[in-house]
Amino acid sequence: MQIDKLRGKELDQLFKAVLSLKDLDECYRFFDDLCTINEIQSLSQRLDVARMLRDGNTYHKIETETGASTATISRVKRCLNFGNDTYEMVLARIKEENSTTVEE
């Protein structure tokens, strides 16, 4: 797996830090300290691109709505098709959480 070449003490520490966050407010505060605004926006843009690709949107529509380059869209699509299935996993969880929240 490609993720094995990423593994290391520093990355473990980062991921444990993310997993320790308790709510959205803590996430906003942590990522504000950790990343630049552009880095945070790039990460969120990729997730939005994945959602739009999964929903069957065209590159043109995704590019127009998100401002993502075709290179970014292609990279995300490659991950959706040949990656670790985590985009699908988190998007399904978000969708489930949103539908549960709406029902309450």
Side-chain angles (χ1 to χ4, degrees):
M1 243 186 213
Q2 278 188 346
I3 59 173
D4 289 335
K5 66 182 175 186
L6 293 174
R7 290 192 190 276
K9 187 173 70 173
E10 293 85 5
L11 210 47
D12 283 355
Q13 178 179 263
L14 172 63
F15 293 153
K16 286 176 183 179
V18 171
L19 290 170
S20 77
L21 301 171
K22 294 181 177 25
D23 56 32
L24 278 176
D25 184 58
E26 285 188 4
C27 286
Y28 274 101
R29 292 179 11 236
F30 179 69
F31 279 91
D32 183 47
D33 285 347
L34 183 67
C35 302
T36 66
I37 291 173
N38 286 341
E39 290 168 335
I40 296 168
Q41 289 173 333
S42 292
L43 293 170
S44 65
Q45 181 187 64
R46 286 182 183 185
L47 185 59
D48 203 29
V49 167
R51 178 191 56 78
M52 292 183 75
L53 283 168
R54 187 196 63 181
D55 291 346
N57 290 283
T58 64
Y59 272 42
H60 177 71
K61 182 171 181 162
I62 295 168
E63 194 175 10
T64 301
E65 288 191 19
T66 67
S69 67
T70 55
T72 296
I73 299 168
S74 294
R75 184 187 187 291
V76 171
K77 184 173 184 173
R78 191 169 41 255
C79 289
L80 282 170
N81 292 331
F82 305 108
N84 297 305
D85 297 324
T86 54
Y87 275 124
E88 185 59 45
M89 177 186 69
V90 297
L91 290 169
R93 288 177 182 172
I94 291 168
K95 186 176 183 178
E96 181 179 315
E97 184 178 310
N98 287 341
S99 67
T100 304
T101 304
V102 170
E103 291 172 8
E104 292 176 356

